[in-house]
Amino acid sequence: MAIVAALPFGLARLANAQDVIQEEGGPVIVGETEEWEGLRFEPFHFAFDLYGRVEENKISTLGVSRRESYKEIRATGSAWSRGYIGHPNFIELNLAGTFGLSQQFIDSESNNRHETPLESIDEYDVSANILPHSDYPTTIYSRRNHNYLTQQFGDTLDSLVTETGVQASLRETDFPTTLHYFHRTEEQSSNLSPTNFSIEQDTFEWLSTWRPAENQQLTWDYTLDSVTETGDLRPTNDFLRQHAIATHELTFGENDQHRLRSNFFGYNETGDTEYSRLRLDESLNLRHTPRFETLYNYSTDWSKYNGENSFFNRGSAGLRHKLFESLWTSFDVGASSLSLPEDNYTSDQYFTDLDLDYKKKVPYGELSASVGLGFDFQADSDRGSPISILNEGHVVPVNGIVEIQKQNVTPGSITVTDASGFIQYVEGIDYTLEYFPDRVEIRRILGGAISDGQALLVDYDIGPQPGADTTTWTMSSNVRYDFEEGFLRGVGLFARYLHQDQDRRSDDPDVIIPADVDDVTVGADYRLGYLLVSGEQQWHQSTLSPYDATRFNAHYRLPLGVGSTLDAFAGYDLVERTSENTSSTISTVKGRWTQRVDRNLSFAVIATWRNEHEDPGINIDAFEQRLEVTWKYRQTSVYGSIANSFVDSDTDYSTYLTVQLGLRREF
């Protein structure tokens, strides 16, 4: 509809052009109609690519070894051009295609493949942009591309992505809107291990913004996904989901100093999992004076998961006051209610918090400190069935351990996916699980599909538990002194303290144990130019799982000119679980040197070493090195890389070697 509606406006604009700029150097002619042209293309550009790749993997498990070998030679030709139909402002065209042959030599015991297939290659990127400079631009596109994904401490995957779609926009100032539909397939495969998987996805997106007045804005974001995921080692996942977010913001007052924000969230998923959710959040911020403001929040949430309903309501009120230039006071009080009708379960909570934040310039630097007091009372009824926690967001830290800070997590209920929720990771291949009284640790496996810094979504169940009344008092304090002058300039000293006193009254006190905590952390950091070094010692005394932790980190980043940097990181993380008489140590060293030698030559050297040691338990050493070189002279490019890695544990030893070399000549 957007295309049909836009065409008359665009044709009229072209047919009745009033200001036409002629060829460079010519006069501006007013009132002359531009000449309508047919199909026009710029001269085509061509390129020839010759590419070779060699992979040699050796995997040894419990003394049994196997070798995997893969070689490939690719020869391709590419062509690309730009053009238009009728006029550059009517339909703008972009065409690019790559075609050729790939000769492969596969010798894999894991996949039981010993063959030399000859395969064709076809990649393309074509698009038509209709009325690109109007208020109603529409783009129709289709693209298919092939990439190589080198897994950290693992082999190289072939990734083939095909996407076809249409995107229409409305560039109205008061109501800008974008509609987007696409069909996408992604296939990732390994020629040397049974880790193939594919995702087929149909998606419709609708994004609009409306400003009914200068002090109001309404944003609408809707997505509909139909997804099918299959794989050799991954479970088949087939679902249809839709989610919508509507946000309304209103500022009011004499100087628009007050703000009211309303946020609506809706979600529905059908398929292997049946899940629906509706949530409304209201937030009111009243700024009475530059030093005093009050905040009011209310949330109501309904969800239904596999036939089980859940109702949640939460409200709070608070204030923030600046007593002096260096002192802020914050106070909050609120309550929440959760009910699961099918299980006759209710949970009512009442809470209050008081925080004081202090920051002041002092001799030789700056002092910042905070003190917090908290009270929480929670009354839970008996719950005879598990409760499901869905789409809990986590980010994988440098040590590779994601923690679920909950008691009584049901073994076997944990599911881990990527941030989109499309790719489901596999326990034993991508991660391992370790259960503790107060938490569950998700540990990524070196060579798996999960990487450091990656965003994850985690689902899990909390098991049945008896009714209980739980009272929790907390007190926290933080202090930090940053030296900004003198011979200690760049040094920061800090300390943190947390005390938690929890009383739990239940008919069965052994199911959920009260968590009494005394946690002390002291440390220091030092910044000198491009270097930042930090270290801390933590003593965590708890009735659940006490531990002592020692952490050191160093990060150095040095700019070396245009396109050149040296980046290095080293980390050490030791955790000693005092009640279990166990310890774990994770050491990491990473470095990357990117250098642009001249306008033609550049290279990158990347290295990562990691050691994981459990006492008692296993010891894992992993080391990865990578060299990338690119040389370009006029229309000729030569590029190559060498990646080598090994993972050595008490039971397994694996090495992965990948060499790539390519030549490209453009005409």
Side-chain angles (χ1 to χ4, degrees), residues 52 149 153 246 306 333 502:
L149 306 177
F153 307 116
N306 289 338
V333 61
Q502 191 172 83

Side-chain angles (χ1 to χ4, degrees), residues 608-623:
T608 302
W609 173 79
R610 184 183 180 94
N611 173 266
E612 299 181 3
H613 179 68
E614 297 279 345
D615 184 17
I618 63 173
N619 184 74
I620 301 176
D621 263 311
F623 186 38

Side-chain angles (χ1 to χ4, degrees), residues 18 82 93 99 140 158 173 201 266 312 336 344 373 386 389 408 432 469 514-515 543 597 633 644 654 663:
Q18 296 299 310
R82 299 175 57 188
L93 301 175
F99 306 95
I140 303 172
D158 290 347
T173 7
Q201 170 187 355
F312 178 76
S336 68
N344 294 321
L373 299 173
I389 308 298
N408 199 27
T432 61
D469 292 341
T543 53
V597 180
Y633 181 73
N644 180 57
S654 304
L663 169 67

Side-chain angles (χ1 to χ4, degrees), residues 504-516:
R504 182 177 177 85
R505 302 190 177 185
S506 171
D507 294 335
D508 190 353
D510 296 329
V511 176
I512 302 295
I513 303 172
D516 293 336

Side-chain angles (χ1 to χ4, degrees), residues 260-424:
L260 174 63
R261 179 184 175 90
S262 304
N263 189 80
F264 168 79
F265 173 79
Y267 183 92
N268 178 258
E269 179 178 329
T270 59
D272 297 337
T273 299
E274 301 288 335
Y275 178 48
S276 299
R277 185 182 181 188
L278 297 174
R279 182 182 176 95
L280 177 64
D281 296 290
E282 297 285 350
S283 177
L284 175 62
N285 186 343
L286 301 178
R287 191 173 186 185
H288 306 282
T289 70
R291 290 175 172 268
F292 179 67
E293 60 184 8
T294 55
L295 304 95
Y296 307 89
N297 297 284
Y298 174 72
S299 300
T300 181
D301 192 319
W302 167 82
S303 63
K304 187 175 184 179
Y305 177 66
N306 289 338
E308 299 285 336
N309 288 278
S310 171
F311 298 90
F312 178 76
N313 289 276
R314 187 182 192 275
S316 66
L319 59 86
R320 194 163 182 259
H321 180 232
K322 189 175 185 180
L323 183 60
F324 306 108
E325 288 299 324
S326 54
L327 180 63
W328 278 97
T329 303
S330 302
F331 175 75
D332 291 284
V333 61
S336 68
S337 174
L338 171 66
S339 66
L340 308 177
E342 283 76 14
D343 201 27
N344 294 321
Y345 171 73
T346 61
S347 176
D348 297 320
Q349 182 185 28
Y350 307 91
F351 57 88
T352 184
D353 297 286
L354 174 65
D355 295 288
L356 302 175
D357 293 293
Y358 178 81
K359 181 179 288 188
K360 189 175 180 61
K361 290 290 184 180
V362 294
Y364 301 106
E366 183 178 76
L367 174 67
S368 57
S370 65
V371 176
L373 299 173
F375 169 79
D376 183 284
F377 175 78
Q378 185 168 327
D380 298 316
S381 66
D382 290 332
R383 179 163 51 80
S385 60
I387 183 173
S388 298
I389 308 298
L390 305 177
N391 296 330
E392 185 175 271
H394 295 272
V395 175
V396 182
V398 175
N399 64 10
I401 302 175
V402 173
E403 294 186 356
I404 301 176
Q405 297 285 351
K406 296 287 192 306
Q407 295 187 56
N408 199 27
V409 174
T410 304
S413 68
I414 296 177
T415 301
V416 182
T417 68
D418 68 337
S420 69
F422 292 166
I423 300 176
Q424 182 172 329

Side-chain angles (χ1 to χ4, degrees), residues 127-282:
S127 64
N129 197 351
I130 305 172
L131 305 179
H133 304 294
S134 72
D135 290 336
Y136 319 96
T138 299
T139 301
I140 303 172
Y141 66 92
S142 183
R143 61 178 70 104
R144 175 186 173 96
N145 60 78
H146 177 268
N147 292 305
Y148 298 105
L149 306 177
T150 301
Q151 300 185 107
Q152 190 177 40
F153 307 116
D155 63 351
T156 300
L157 302 179
D158 290 347
S159 174
L160 182 63
V161 178
T162 305
E163 183 177 320
T164 301
V166 56
Q167 179 172 300
S169 299
L170 176 65
R171 293 174 177 167
E172 290 282 349
T173 7
D174 294 332
F175 194 70
T177 297
T178 300
L179 303 176
H180 186 202
Y181 165 78
F182 62 90
H183 174 81
R184 185 175 189 270
T185 60
E186 179 178 1
E187 300 175 2
Q188 289 189 10
S189 60
S190 171
N191 295 291
L192 302 180
S193 60
T195 57
N196 304 342
F197 80 94
S198 65
I199 297 176
E200 185 173 357
Q201 170 187 355
D202 286 279
T203 295
F204 170 72
E205 299 171 333
W206 172 13
L207 178 63
S208 292
T209 301
W210 179 41
R211 297 188 66 92
E214 290 186 2
N215 65 332
Q216 292 190 60
Q217 177 172 294
L218 177 64
T219 303
W220 170 260
D221 188 349
Y222 172 82
T223 303
L224 172 66
D225 294 309
S226 176
V227 178
T228 299
E229 177 188 0
T230 58
D232 291 340
L233 301 177
R234 305 181 187 278
T236 299
N237 196 14
D238 192 353
F239 62 90
L240 176 71
R241 74 177 186 187
Q242 52 185 330
H243 58 88
I245 301 175
T247 303
H248 178 257
E249 293 187 6
L250 169 68
T251 58
F252 59 97
E254 184 177 353
N255 299 309
D256 284 339
Q257 74 273 26
H258 307 311
R259 181 180 298 274
L260 174 63
R261 179 184 175 90
S262 304
N263 189 80
F264 168 79
F265 173 79
Y267 183 92
N268 178 258
E269 179 178 329
T270 59
D272 297 337
T273 299
E274 301 288 335
Y275 178 48
S276 299
R277 185 182 181 188
L278 297 174
R279 182 182 176 95
L280 177 64
D281 296 290
E282 297 285 350

